[in-house]
Amino acid sequence: MLQKRVPNRLMDNLTPVQRARLMRSIRTRGTAPEKTLGSALKDAGLAYRCHVKSVRGTPDFLMTAGPIAVFVHGCFWHGHDGCRRAVLPRTNACFWREKIGRNIRRDKRVARQLRREGYGVVTVWACQLNDPTRVVRRIQRAQNRRKSSEP
Ligand SMILES: [Zn+2]
């Protein structure tokens, strides 16, 4: 299988202490982006379900119209290409590159399979939730596209 590598330029020069602090902040922020998106979707009056286990990949949100599977991805763990938050630690770079590469491949596989099963798929990066309104508009557009393509 072709391996997508996280580019080398995403390396940094953090000290171990700075790195530990950054990783901790990324991890504890965990579900905050999901909450942000959840309330933005609610404000926009869009119908959705959360963490739908019956759908492949357990989408963070399943938009009833569409249906659209929405995944909220942490920039570091899912390897947001070119993102400041996805910079790899210099120590154990190999380990991280491999681990995150696995996540990227799995995300792509799940999205491909979902599309084949008839779902729309929207990937939302945590950093994009600095502007939740914009993300909601993107999801709305995806819903409208699917509505207009219905027979
Ligand atoms: Zn990002």
Side-chain angles (χ1 to χ4, degrees), residues 11-32:
M11 301 289 275
D12 66 20
N13 295 303
L14 294 183
T15 66
V17 172
Q18 288 171 322
R19 164 57 50 189
R21 198 180 298 143
L22 179 61
M23 305 293 270
R24 247 195 324 272
S25 76
I26 290 168
R27 232 170 271 161
T28 51
R29 238 180 272 141
T31 62

Side-chain angles (χ1 to χ4, degrees), residues 64-101:
T64 339
I68 312 266
V70 178
F71 293 93
V72 179
H73 283 170
C75 299
F76 181 78
W77 295 106
H78 294 264
H80 188 192
D81 200 11
C83 177
R84 195 172 52 88
R85 296 190 191 176
V87 172
L88 283 184
R90 204 172 261 290
T91 42
N92 294 324
C94 263
F95 165 80
W96 289 112
R97 204 173 293 135
E98 208 167 282
K99 186 176 181 62
I100 290 163

Side-chain angles (χ1 to χ4, degrees), residues 15-72:
T15 66
V17 172
Q18 288 171 322
R19 164 57 50 189
R21 198 180 298 143
L22 179 61
M23 305 293 270
R24 247 195 324 272
S25 76
I26 290 168
R27 232 170 271 161
T28 51
R29 238 180 272 141
T31 62
E34 283 175 41
K35 283 184 191 146
T36 305
L37 182 55
S39 48
L41 290 172
K42 203 176 287 169
D43 289 347
L46 301 181
Y48 65 85
R49 287 162 61 207
C50 290
H51 296 113
V52 185
K53 292 210 180 79
S54 56
V55 175
R56 186 189 295 281
T58 315
D60 296 306
F61 298 94
L62 184 75
M63 310 307 298
T64 339
I68 312 266
V70 178
F71 293 93
V72 179

